[in-house]
Amino acid sequence: MAAKVAYDALIHPDRVHGSLYIDPAIFEDEMENIFHKGWVFVGHTSEVPNIGDFARRQIGRQPVLILHTPRDGVKLFLNRCTHRGNLLCTRTRGNANSFTCPYHGWSFGIGGELRGMPMPGGMGDSFDREALSLAEVPRVGIHRGFIFASLAREGMSFEEYLGDAKILLDRAADLSPEGEVDLSAGWLKHRFKANWKMLPENNTDGYHVVTTHASLLRATGVADSLAFNDEKGDPSLIRDWGGGHTELDFAPRYKMMGMPFLWFGGTSPKKLPNYVAAMRETYGDEVANERMMDGPPHAIIFPNLFLAELNITYFYPVSTNEVVQYYTPMLLKGAPEINARAIRQTEGAMGPGSFLLPEDACMAERNQLGLAAQYPEWLDLRRGMGREQVDEASGLLSSVVSDETTNRAFWRHYLSVMSEAA
Amino acid sequence: MLSESECREVEAFLFKEARLADESDYDGWEALWADDALYWVPTRPDADPETEVSHIYDNRTRIATRIRQLKSGVRYSQTPASPMRRVLSNIEIEKMSDDEYEAAANFMLMELAVQSTRNMNLWGGRAIYRLRREGGKLRLCSKKILLVDADEPIANLSFLI
């Protein structure tokens, strides 16, 4: 048994130690304490709308199935035959009437129950069939269709985990006139040869955009107009929602510019007449207008969900230096005018072939390579420490969009989770 | 009926397209495209692009943006450009009309990710091309690339596939 890592010696308010990204013992602790015991994002109910629909996922390193059961709605099961451990379902997604393990023919219903096996007589008289139903993921929490899970039977409640950040999920779903997002357009999958923590750290980092993504800004001609170039001119905020949840809030900029749909390429409301009408019909003019001005959230739900405006992104870690990130368009139920273009927007922004994410992947990989150098020992995260403050409207710690307030928020929470467990 | 000379001409076009992509000759590659271009990398062969997200689904305008970005000098995931070489094989060509051809070829591509990991990435699949003769010259109307591992986690695909 390796010695326990003293996390409080590695994580300070203004800096973190390089070993956090490369030490295999730390990765093992993270798998256990963050990804297996803690709550993580797994998927969305819209991926499995009908009874028998399933989608394969991973919680930390463990394979799971999201399954729409006949009687109990959406449930999560460990994707493992309860007989001798065979991976039960190998398809990525689909619809099933049952799952049969090809090794010895044990068969399971879509409620997870063990239906039967060849030559059952040999199991003996005391054989308890129910005890060999598929193993359920012990705790599942669903908010606005977003499915989260914990592999631990006990621990922080789902409500406590999500905290006020459930407002961010609400903000996403409330952009739909039916109050629901639809994640059925499939997932792009992207392999980064980098430590997983670089993803949540980067995804709400407002500082890197103007340099890392300079090529897109130049190619699309928005380089000069983008307020990222001048932090004083951009009222956007970076925000700590607590619990490791962080946000880059563009709404103040959109309000300053005074136009709706700046989050949707600045499209004229005249081109989205049915969407605008449906939003006003459902929510009333004032609320609908505000939502169409503010747009979707750009936020991290700790540890692995990224609400990336009109995209949903999550990841699972593979090893100290490898992580797989998934992307899908965040379609809005009842908004076909938005959805047709949202798919094209996702292809432009997200995924290995897009105009944005290849640069983020490249930077994460270069970070990982650079961190093989052990000096200087620390990564500097002090940017904006002297000017962050509690935002009056939200009551949350906020700062200038290019500040590292979100990185510090991530690490503060990481330290608390990793220290509690130690 | 496809003549022997047409067959040679279409093959020569495919080999040229492959070489321009391998050598990241962005202007030369872009010049092959017709105005109604579609450069498409779906996540599965029978995907519906109207309801499913693709890795790449570029019309002519977006191809131009992609090329401008690659030429910006700060497309870091392709700065410097990946050294690449691909092999085309199993070529099949069908004449669709007097001036249109559909061609398909298997490919294997070695790509060296010199921008970060220096990993040698192996890409493989089948490319389906639609070509049209315009003013005597063949133009690329569409290229659909069916990666063997399109639905698996893949590395950066910011080079010309």
Side-chain angles (χ1 to χ4, degrees):
Chain A
M1 183 82 187
K4 285 210 158 50
V5 176
Y7 287 95
D8 55 355
L10 301 177
I11 300 163
H12 296 271
D14 61 344
R15 66 192 194 279
V16 297
H17 197 264
S19 62
L20 289 158
Y21 298 89
I22 60 174
D23 183 342
I26 290 175
F27 184 81
E28 292 303 316
D29 282 355
E30 292 169 346
M31 284 297 97
E32 191 57 24
N33 299 323
I34 296 176
F35 289 90
H36 292 164
K37 287 187 190 159
W39 288 92
V40 296
F41 173 74
V42 180
H44 193 271
T45 53
S46 61
E47 296 184 76
V48 287
N50 304 307
I51 289 171
D53 285 351
F54 65 87
R56 272 186 70 186
R57 286 300 139 80
Q58 204 159 305
I59 299 179
R61 281 184 292 211
Q62 304 194 31
V64 299
L65 272 182
I66 307 175
L67 187 55
H68 192 143
T69 66
R71 277 178 291 278
D72 304 310
V74 173
K75 293 180 89 166
L76 299 185
F77 296 97
L78 279 297
N79 186 6
R80 165 185 162 155
C81 178
T82 54
H83 176 213
R84 297 257 290 265
N86 211 278
L87 185 73
L88 186 63
C89 176
T90 53
R91 287 165 64 199
T92 312
R93 63 194 280 196
N95 182 276
N97 295 319
S98 63
F99 296 94
T100 301
C101 174
Y103 189 15
H104 301 95
W106 285 35
S107 167
F108 300 86
I110 52 175
E113 72 282 7
L114 174 60
R115 276 190 178 170
M117 72 277 295
M119 298 168 272
M123 302 304 291
D125 295 339
S126 61
F127 172 57
D128 179 0
R129 185 173 293 231
E130 211 163 295
L132 285 171
S133 296
L134 292 182
E136 272 185 55
V137 171
R139 294 188 300 157
V140 176
I142 301 180
H143 185 74
R144 305 298 290 260
F146 291 84
I147 307 167
F148 298 80
S150 164
L151 288 170
R153 294 190 187 285
E154 288 169 13
M156 179 187 279
S157 72
F158 176 56
E159 290 69 27
E160 196 185 344
Y161 153 74
L162 206 49
D164 288 340
K166 70 174 186 296
I167 293 168
L168 297 163
L169 297 175
D170 292 338
R171 202 194 292 165
D174 287 342
L175 267 187
S176 153
E178 296 177 15
E180 286 181 65
V181 303
D182 172 5
L183 305 191
S184 64
W187 294 93
L188 303 175
K189 302 163 191 171
H190 195 179
R191 190 178 297 278
F192 292 37
K193 297 294 284 180
N195 188 272
W196 66 270
K197 296 188 287 300
M198 291 172 190
L199 275 51
E201 284 201 90
N202 179 66
N203 288 337
T204 51
D205 177 298
Y207 191 27
H208 78 290
V209 177
V210 73
T211 44
T212 296
H213 299 298
S215 62
L216 178 64
L217 306 182
R218 287 190 203 172
T220 53
V222 298
D224 299 328
S225 65
L226 205 78
F228 279 115
N229 281 319
D230 172 16
E231 60 183 19
K232 293 192 189 72
D234 188 350
S236 301
L237 291 170
I238 203 126
R239 210 173 263 144
D240 171 7
W241 283 81
H245 314 310
T246 59
E247 184 196 10
L248 210 172
D249 183 8
F250 295 116
R253 182 204 298 173
Y254 299 151
K255 284 197 170 83
M256 180 183 77
M257 294 169 79
M259 280 161 56
F261 298 117
L262 286 170
W263 48 274
F264 197 56
T267 304
S268 162
K270 292 191 183 109
K271 290 191 173 164
L272 306 165
N274 297 317
Y275 175 67
V276 172
M279 286 294 284
R280 287 178 177 160
E281 171 75 25
T282 307
Y283 302 113
D285 287 8
E286 192 182 336
V287 171
N289 289 348
E290 189 175 358
R291 288 183 186 164
M292 291 186 284
M293 175 75 77
D294 290 354
H298 183 118
I300 299 289
I301 307 294
F302 185 91
N304 69 332
L305 172 63
F306 176 23
L307 305 170
E309 301 169 50
L310 280 188
N311 311 280
I312 299 295
T313 293
Y314 77 95
F315 64 82
Y316 64 84
V318 177
S319 65
T320 50
N321 61 354
E322 188 169 342
V323 56
V324 170
Q325 187 155 240
Y326 282 55
Y327 320 86
T328 195
M330 187 177 84
L331 304 179
L332 304 173
K333 285 193 180 162
E337 290 164 336
I338 299 276
N339 295 343
R341 280 181 50 198
I343 295 176
R344 300 288 91 85
Q345 276 201 355
T346 297
E347 288 152 355
M350 315 300 277
S354 72
F355 294 72
L356 277 174
L357 263 294
E359 270 55 55
D360 296 303
C362 182
M363 291 307 139
E365 290 176 346
R366 292 174 55 146
N367 272 5
Q368 196 71 21
L369 294 165
L371 285 164
Q374 293 187 354
Y375 299 98
E377 288 185 64
W378 302 91
L379 288 82
D380 192 288
L381 291 176
R382 82 184 75 193
R383 189 177 169 80
M385 277 183 90
R387 59 183 177 183
E388 59 192 13
Q389 49 192 300
V390 174
D391 172 44
E392 276 181 35
S394 63
L396 302 172
L397 189 65
S398 304
S399 201
V400 175
V401 70
S402 57
D403 284 350
E404 284 159 345
T405 301
T406 45
N407 297 67
R408 292 189 289 276
F410 171 86
W411 283 108
R412 201 157 39 242
H413 183 67
Y414 176 98
L415 176 59
S416 77
V417 174
M418 299 294 276
S419 306
E420 264 170 37
Chain B
M1 184 66 188
L2 188 75
S3 71
E4 187 64 24
S5 69
E6 285 177 302
C7 183
R8 289 279 161 267
E9 186 187 10
V10 169
E11 281 184 3
F13 183 94
L14 304 190
F15 292 142
K16 181 180 179 186
E17 191 269 341
R19 175 171 47 80
L20 294 171
D22 280 347
E23 296 176 358
S24 297
D25 182 339
Y26 301 128
D27 291 333
W29 187 81
E30 189 182 5
L32 300 177
W33 286 96
D35 290 342
D36 57 341
L38 176 64
Y39 173 45
W40 184 16
V41 185
T43 61
R44 58 194 191 94
D46 50 353
D48 174 2
E50 300 309 313
T51 58
E52 291 174 65
V53 67
S54 298
H55 287 295
I56 293 174
Y57 194 81
D58 286 5
N59 60 14
R60 186 66 189 82
T61 306
R62 196 171 272 192
I63 288 172
T65 306
R66 184 175 295 278
I67 297 299
R68 275 200 306 280
Q69 186 183 26
L70 285 164
K71 289 172 65 180
S72 68
V74 286
R75 172 67 150 162
Y76 295 111
S77 61
Q78 274 301 301
T79 307
S82 297
M84 290 185 277
R85 285 297 166 192
R86 72 196 75 191
V87 174
L88 302 189
S89 183
N90 305 51
I91 297 175
E92 295 178 61
I93 305 168
E94 198 176 339
K95 188 162 180 170
M96 308 304 285
S97 68
D98 281 351
D99 57 358
E100 282 208 356
Y101 305 91
E102 190 171 287
N106 289 357
F107 67 92
M108 277 180 68
L109 162 61
M110 303 304 300
E111 181 247 342
L112 188 67
V114 289
Q115 312 80 18
S116 57
T117 58
R118 306 196 85 81
N119 279 351
M120 182 76 113
N121 293 321
L122 174 63
W123 303 83
R126 189 153 177 86
I128 300 161
Y129 312 78
R130 203 160 50 76
L131 309 178
R132 189 190 307 122
R133 194 180 304 283
E134 290 179 2
K137 283 179 67 176
L138 289 178
R139 295 262 180 185
L140 187 53
C141 304
S142 84
K143 184 180 183 190
K144 179 180 180 183
I145 298 102
L146 305 176
L147 291 170
V148 168
D149 54 356
D151 197 30
E152 297 299 308
I154 57 174
N156 273 347
L157 189 56
S158 48
F159 55 85
L160 301 177
I161 182 93

